[in-house]
Structures are given as C-alpha cells and as structure tokens.
Amino acid sequence: MKNYGLNELREMYLSFFESKGHLRKKSFPLVPQNDNSLLLINAGMAPLKPYFTGQEVPPKTRMTTCQKCIRTGDIENIGKTARHGTFFEMLGNFSFGDYFKEEAISWAWEFVTKVLELPEDRLYVSVYEEDQPTAEIWHEKMGVPRDHIVFMGKEDNFWEVGVTGPCGPCSEIYFDRGPEFGCDSPTCAVGCDCDRYLEFWNLVFTQFDRQEDGTYLPLPKPNIDTGMGLERLAAMMQGVTSIFDVDTVKAIRDHVCELAGVEYGQSQKTDMSIRVITDHIRSATFMASDGVLPSNEGRGYVMRRLIRRAVRHGKLLGIEGLFLKELVKTVVDNSKHEYTELEDKFDYIVKLLTVEEENFNKTIEQGLNILTTYIEELEAKGEKVLDGVACFKLYDTYGFPIDLTREILEEKGLAIDEEAFKDEMEKQKQRGRDARGETNYMGSDETVFHKLDTNLSTQFVGYHTLEVESTIDALTTETEIIEEAKEGMDVYIVSKATPFYAESGGQAGDVGTITTATGTVEVTNTTKAVGGKFVHHGKVVVGTVKQGETATFKVNSVVRLDSARNHSATHLLQKALREVVGGHVEQAGSNVTKDRLRFDYTHFEALSAEQIERVEAIVNEKILSALDITTMETSIDEARKMGAMALFGEKYGEVVRVVDMGHYSVELCGGTHLINTAQIGTFKIVSESGVASGVRRIEAVTGRGAIHYYQEIEKELNEVAKLVKAKKDGITKKVEHLMAESKELQKENDKLKAEMAKAEAENIFDQVQEIAGLKVLVAALPNMDMNALRNMGDTFKDKLGEGVVVLASSQDEKVSLVAMATNDAVSAGIHCGNIIKASAPVVQGGGGGRPNMAQAGGKDASKMNEALQTATDIIKEQLKNN
C-alpha cells in the first residue's frame, strides 16, 4: 500500500470524481444555512439537503465535496480513546436524480482498487439484507467474491432520518487491516467491534420516501449520497492506528507535546490530555474561521466548552501561560491550502481564542472562590457531599470543570452528589433539544413557497435599473397559492425578473409598486424564498391582480438611495475599524435600512471616545474624498488576490461580486450601493455597545438620517438652554455651576443624615437582647441603602464585641437586609446565610451568603418587621440546635 498524505488523498478523491463529470464544490461553512435541525454541519450531505428533497435545483446533478464537519456527541468522552474526535473532513460524491447504484458502486470500486491501489482480497462490502440487487452488482459487475459480501440488518445498513422523508439502503466498504489489529476471537469478521475490519466508505442509495404510516414509497428520482471520513482513510493508507497519528493531525499532536515537554504514548493520562487539546484546537480554529463565537448557548456554547476543555488539559500537562495561539498556526499551516478562510482570518482566530483563554483563566479563579464558599458551608454543617445543583452551577454558569471540582473536594475528604449532577446535565441537554424544536427533514418550516414549481427562480436586475416589466408568475397568500387577489388583500408575488432587492446580507428589502392593467400592489418588503425565488410582500391597493398578468415592477428610488447610503457607509466603517482597532475586526452581522445602519463587529472591549472619533473622522474623510464605487464580477480566486474581504458563514460561488470603493475598501458583496462615496453626504456614529461576548455594535446615520439627527440634537440643546436660563454657547459653564451648587447641598444633606443616624443608632442599641448567652441585635433603620446598612452593621458588630446583628431598612421602595456575626457567634451555631435565606422571602426577596455575613434585597417594605421576627426565630433555632 502506498502512503499518501491527508491533503494528497483529498485532492485525489475530488479530482477523480471531477473526471466522472461531478461539479467540485468547496466545503460549505460549519454554520448551517436555513436548517434549524443542526447546530453545526455534521455530515457531507447536510448542506445539500435542499437538493436531495427537490426544494432547490442543484447547480449540477452530480457534485463532489470535501466537507468540514463537527460532531460533538458526548464531549466529555473525547480524548479517552484514540478513535474519536469532534472535527473531521468528509469526502462525498452525490447524485441528484442522475446516476444510481451501478455507477456509484463502479466508481467507488475503481477509486479504491485503481487509484488507491488497495488489494482486492482485503476488501469487503456490507449490504442491506433485503437489497439483493446491490449484492449482485458487487458480485457480478465488480467481481467481489460472495464470501466478501456481508448482509446486515436495518440498524447497520439502512439510512433514514426522523420518521418521514427520503431514505434508503446503504452499502459499506471495509478494509481488512490484518490480524495484528484484531481481537484474536475465532468469530472476528466484518462488523466486529475491534479495529481489524475498518469500515471507511458508506454508499447510501436514497430511493424511498417514508410516509407517516411507516410505508416506503419509491422516489421518482432516486439519489446517491456517499460519505468517507478523510482522517480515517488517511489513517488506513498511512498504516497508523488512529486519527491522531495521521500526518496533519500528528503535526498538531507533536506541537502539543513540545509545548508540554512530554512524549506521546508514555502515559494513558497524559495521552488523553494531548488528544483532547489536539482535537479541540482543530475544532475551535475551524469554528472561529466560520464566524462562531464562544457563548453560553447553542453552537457558541459548544465552542466555549471545547476551548475551556483544551485549556484545562493544558494545565494538567503543565503548560504555562497562553498556549492556544501557538497551536492555531500549526492547524492553519496544515489545512490552509484547501480551507483558505483559515489563512484569511488568521489574526482574528488568534485574537478570539486568546481572549477566550484569558477569560477562562479568570473564570478558574472566580470558580475557586465560589467553591471555597461551598466547602466552608459544608464544613460548617458537618456534611461531606456537595449537592449536584451547586456543582452544575459551577460547571454551567461559571465554566468551572467538573473534574477540577471533584479533585479539590477529594483533597478535602469531600465528594460530589454524582447522580444529582447527572440529572442537571440531562435537563440541560433536554433544554437544548427543546430549543431546536421539532423540524421536518429540511430542518426549516414548510411555507407556501415550497409548493411552487422548483424550476421557478428570479433574476435580479436591480443593480442597473429600478423599473422592469415582468409577469406575476406566482401569487399567494401566507398559506395558499391563489389565482387572483382583490383590493385590500395581503399578497406575495414571485416573478422571473425583478428590480427589487431581496433582504439579505443585512440589507433591508426594497419597497415600491407592482402595477398591472387591472390593479396595483404596494410592496412593503422583498425577501428570498427557497429555490432562488424573490418574494414581493404587499397589499393590493387598487383593483385586482392575477397570476400570469404582465406587470410593471417599480422600486421606490428614494428609499433605495437612503438604504444604499447606509450600506456603502458600512463598508467604509469596517475598513476604518480595522485601521483603528486592529486586523482582527470582522463583520459579525449588519442591518441596513433607509433610516440607519447597524454594524456588529468582532472586538473584545468597548471603543474609547478617541477611537470612536477617529473611526468617524476616517469615514467622513473618505466621503469628502468622493471615491468612485465600482463593482465587478470575477472568480473567487481573483477576488482574493485583490484583497477582497469576505463575510463569515457565507458560501460563495465560483463567480463573486466585488465592491471597490476607490481601492480603500474592497469587499465581496451582493448588496446595492452608490456610485460615489460623496453621495453618502455625512456619517455620524450614534452609539457603540456590546451585544455578546466578543461582539460590539455600532449604530450610525448618514445622509437624510444624519441631518434629522443633528436637528434633534439642536432642538434638545435649545430646550436645555431654556431650562438653565443660558445662551447655547454658555450652557456648559452654566451646568457646571449648577452641578457644583448641587454637590455642596448634597454634602450638607449627607452630614445631617449621618448625625441623625448616629442619634438613632444610640437609641437602637438599647434593643440588644441576649439569647442563649449571646448578644443579639435585630432592628429596623429608616431610609438607608444597602451600603449604608452594611456600614451601620459593622459599627454595631464592633460595639457588641461578640454576637450577631440583623438589620433591615427601606429606601425608594426597595428593602435591604443585612446579617453579620462575630467568630464566636459562628462557633456558637450562627449562620448568617441561612438567617437571610429564611427572612428575605418574607419581604419578597432573596439572597444569602457566608456564615459570618449575608445580605438580601426585597420588594415589600410593609413586611420588614415580620422578616426581622423570622430572623430572630432562626437565631433562636440555630443556638438551640447547637
């Protein structure tokens, strides 16, 4: 057998199927498009579902891809074996109603025996037990001996997803790696769990449509869907035992070993950590390159777990400092030839993973502090087991690894309530399943537009004209296809040609009118539907319109121009941000309307006032420079050479549209733009804020919107001038004078309050009582916030010497409760956290804390005395039980 590198094998496969008339496509992004059933792409066919279901017409009936995939399953088990990983590449060739079994099998056999030159006597195939025709193709046409054909049941050799939809039998190809990989069992054969017979290619024959009643109807046009794991194939061809020994993966593994100063294969525990880091850094790097951001939900949560698990195992290996950034380069160097986005987004990926690693290091410290509090509470109560809810909160909310919790507890002679923790984990998984919800085969809800002819698609002609004649090729309501719509009806219109831009890339859809000889529709929005259809949303405002009528489609030019101003400004804004903030800035989302622009971008801290001012100045400079805006269509490779920026998660075709603003900003974009930056007029940032971890948002206005903004500001300024009785040019000085006066008055007020509180405190100290030999002060104080109440509590506690203090107060309809205890009081059985936990609900509040100090807020001031009585009762109970 020849030893081929992983990158060589990918190219060999794709080139082979290109030679068989397949359209070779780049991998789709890991983030699914219009598919609610998946968090991340997990198979080669997943992005191609619309073609298999007939909802969209494929660019060619034969396609081949190498798709990047992530399967998370049970992340906690990754690394425990050398077999499993989260990231992998899947080779596939697909037929959408073109060829079927004989061609798929023939080409698979040709590839493995002629291209890979695998010895035929070591190849086996499995076939679905009821699929005799497939077995005959293997034997009669390919010459596979009958003793090398294995029949298996539905569980192994029949592919279906869910209860309805396309499905069919499959046939798998196995390679006998030799007895040295086997289990020495006399019954060892294809299907055995050992590593001898390696299944490496699955050919799925999608020929049935399963009905709700469980019956299988033949599909009019059967499909072919094959899948072969590239890492598994490489491991087989390179004669190694696992994916972690494959050349490109081994390079990462070796780098991990170098950073840790350890050798792979010397220790089971060390090897596990090496595998975890190797696998997870691959996944995290690829996810980052497709725009996934670490967060506490969805695919972002998956990414955060992978990064934190990698960092945790780095610590176990003794790696000091930030190390993920070192490994990113190795991942990129080994995969950038095929996945150019890795190199394009390198700076961003490094920045993102480094920030997340830094944040997790801080989280570890925070988690340790919280765990220390839990341990103190356990020891105070004389208990040995930490409840599962607390463990899960540490794990889920604070990202504190459960194995670290377990390890620290064991050092103290304590343990985790493992069953309760597992219950909480299962609840979380169920919440995730519920969040995705039940979906159909496509993973997106069926709409009326799925009922339209799949051959109907729309040609957009609105780059160069705002008016065109076309026909109303489809007319629908929200739920059904109709022939005619009368005045007052809400309708949806699809045509073969339109000048209306459909909402996409963050730009709002066009508005305008559709006019026929018999009626007029006012278009309020334009969107894209399945199969490349542009849908005009509107209402019939005059007469009637009918399906099949010729109509004039006319875009509102004023609204289009305002939207274009804001869209062109976002391009200038992104470039300016990269200049001012750094090359890691990437667009994370945008929303462009006629009124304003909203631009989300990747960055990890708020912009300073100076940075905002610089960004704004750069954009306005480019507007005043009157840069020509040109567009051109070219190949993706040529666009890359021009330095054109691409958006995260976008799947670009072979031909792309480049928008060039005077060679200053060059981006891939399908939106509508101006012809010169001067048309923007002016640009003003109105807000900058955070919207998610690692994502900031700028909102801005241009043109007419900016004029309106300045007018409103001036109106506000005039109102303030009237209120402070000053001229506009003297407002600042007048306000400063008023603030200084207010500050002096506040000081005098605080002084009077302090004197009154001191006098009140002398009286309240008379309320000290003795319970079981311990001094106890439980009292209500007037008009104090939490900070003042804590200070008063410290004063009383110091004055008591030994004892417990519980205070309550209300201010601005908010109740504050504080409990404090000296060390002797805690030794006597007092636990302030439990006192507050019991008394806070009385005032409709909640809180807690440590044995020596706790606090809470509440809403019902009328129940303060009742809450204090509850606190007294709890104190008596604690001292009695002790």
Side-chain angles (χ1 to χ4, degrees), residues 509-511 555-564 593-594 704:
D510 277 333
V511 300
V555 173
N556 184 315
S557 59
V558 175
V559 173
R560 163 71 81 85
L561 188 58
D562 283 341
S563 294
T593 68
K594 65 182 179 64
R704 255 187 288 271

Side-chain angles (χ1 to χ4, degrees), residues 108 111-112 116 118 122-124 172-176 197-202 227-230 232-233 236-237:
F111 182 73
V112 297
L116 298 181
L118 294 176
R122 295 174 67 179
L123 292 169
Y124 291 76
E172 298 170 314
I173 306 176
Y174 291 78
F175 181 70
D176 180 4
Y197 296 95
L198 182 71
E199 180 269 307
F200 66 95
W201 201 349
N202 188 13
M228 174 161 57
L230 179 56
R232 181 176 290 194
L233 175 65
M236 186 177 82
M237 297 303 298

Side-chain angles (χ1 to χ4, degrees), residues 526-541:
T526 311
T527 60
K528 288 181 181 178
V530 63
K533 301 172 181 65
F534 281 37
V535 180
H536 307 82
H537 304 225
K539 181 188 286 286
V540 182
V541 292

